[in-house]
Amino acid sequence: MDKIIEKLDFLQDLYVNARRANILLENYDRDRSSYIGIHNELRNALDHIMRMIQAKGDAHDCEKEFRGAESHLLRASYDAYELVCISQINYIKQTLAIYSTNDINIGFPDYYKEIKPDILDIENETARIREVKRQKSVGERATYEYYFNAAEKLINYVKQIDKHISIIDECYTERLKKERLSKAGFIVGIVGVIIGIAGIIVALI
C-alpha cells in the first residue's frame, strides 16, 4: 500500500503541473479556445490511475498502469505548453506584420539580434518534436522541460514587444509620412517638368 501512495503522490505532482500548464494556456491563448486533446489526456490518466489502484496486488500490472498515467499527464502538460508557444509566436508575427525591418530595428534593436533567432529555433525544434512524436520515440520528460522553458521565454518576448510596440509604431508612422512627402515631391517634380515642356512647345508654336 505504501508503494501505491508513493506513486499517487508522484502522479499528484504531475497533475498539478498539467493543471498549471492548462491554466497558462487559458490565460495566454487569445482565441480563448478549449482544447479537447488535453482534457482527453487528463481523462486517460485518471483511467490508468484507477486501474493502477485496482491492480495493487500485481506489481507488474500496477507499474504498467502507473507508467501509462505518468505518460498521459506529461503529454497533457507539454501539449498545453506547445499550444502556448504556438499562440505566442502567432501573436508576435501578427503584431509585427505591418512593420518594416527598419521600423522594428529602430524601435526595438534587440528583436532581430536576440529574439527573432530564438523564435526561429523554437519553431524548428517544436516542428522536429511533433515529427518525432508521430514516431512515438520522443522522451516525454525532456519534451515537457523543453516546452515549459520555451513557453516561458515566448511569454516574456511578447511582453517585451508589447512594451516597444508604441515606439515601433512611431517609426512606422514617421516612415510613411516621409514616403508620402517624397512621393508628393516626386509628383510635383514630374508635373513641373510636364508644364515646362508644355511651355516650350507653346512658345515654339
Side-chain angles (χ1 to χ4, degrees):
M1 192 65 181
D2 287 345
K3 288 187 177 180
I4 286 287
I5 293 173
E6 186 180 320
K7 290 180 186 299
L8 287 173
D9 283 342
F10 179 82
L11 293 174
Q12 174 190 258
D13 290 339
L14 292 185
Y15 174 75
V16 169
N17 288 338
R19 285 292 303 145
R20 187 181 298 123
N22 202 32
I23 289 168
L24 193 71
L25 176 60
E26 290 172 359
N27 288 337
Y28 285 96
D29 177 24
R30 295 165 199 279
D31 295 331
R32 300 296 182 210
S33 302
S34 179
Y35 295 96
I36 295 173
I38 295 169
H39 296 293
N40 282 341
E41 295 293 351
L42 294 173
R43 183 190 64 191
N44 290 336
L46 177 62
D47 189 49
H48 280 289
I49 290 169
M50 292 299 102
R51 282 188 281 174
M52 179 187 78
I53 295 170
Q54 289 171 348
K56 59 182 178 291
D58 186 321
H60 177 268
D61 284 352
C62 184
E63 183 65 20
K64 177 183 174 183
E65 299 302 336
F66 167 72
R67 293 301 172 194
E70 177 189 29
S71 176
H72 284 294
L73 288 172
L74 283 169
R75 265 178 272 162
S77 293
Y78 72 60
D79 283 357
Y81 282 126
E82 179 185 19
L83 290 165
V84 171
C85 290
I86 291 170
S87 173
Q88 300 313 290
I89 289 172
N90 287 342
Y91 173 77
I92 290 169
K93 287 180 176 179
Q94 291 164 10
T95 300
L96 298 179
I98 67 168
Y99 304 111
S100 72
T101 302
N102 203 41
D103 296 333
I104 299 167
N105 258 331
I106 295 170
F108 189 14
D110 287 343
Y111 176 74
Y112 283 108
K113 292 178 186 175
E114 299 173 9
I115 294 177
K116 187 168 184 181
D118 204 21
I119 290 173
L120 291 174
D121 287 344
I122 290 171
E123 280 192 293
N124 291 335
E125 182 62 12
T126 52
R128 186 195 69 79
I129 290 172
R130 278 195 296 275
E131 183 59 35
V132 175
K133 276 165 65 178
R134 292 191 192 100
Q135 301 167 15
K136 298 184 179 178
S137 60
V138 69
E140 287 169 342
R141 285 194 168 279
T143 303
Y144 167 80
E145 292 296 331
Y146 177 79
Y147 276 134
F148 172 82
N149 292 325
E152 292 290 321
K153 282 166 95 174
L154 288 167
I155 288 169
N156 183 52
Y157 290 156
V158 166
K159 289 176 181 176
Q160 291 183 57
I161 289 167
D162 284 345
K163 285 180 182 177
H164 288 83
I165 202 68
S166 60
I167 303 171
I168 296 171
D169 199 58
E170 285 175 11
C171 297
Y172 167 75
T173 303
E174 187 63 28
R175 175 174 60 83
L176 289 185
K177 190 187 297 181
K178 287 178 181 177
E179 288 176 358
R180 281 194 294 266
L181 289 171
S182 177
K183 190 174 181 180
F186 176 76
I187 292 171
V188 168
I190 292 292
V191 170
V193 170
I194 292 171
I195 291 172
I197 293 171
I200 293 170
I201 293 171
V202 170
L204 289 175
I205 294 173

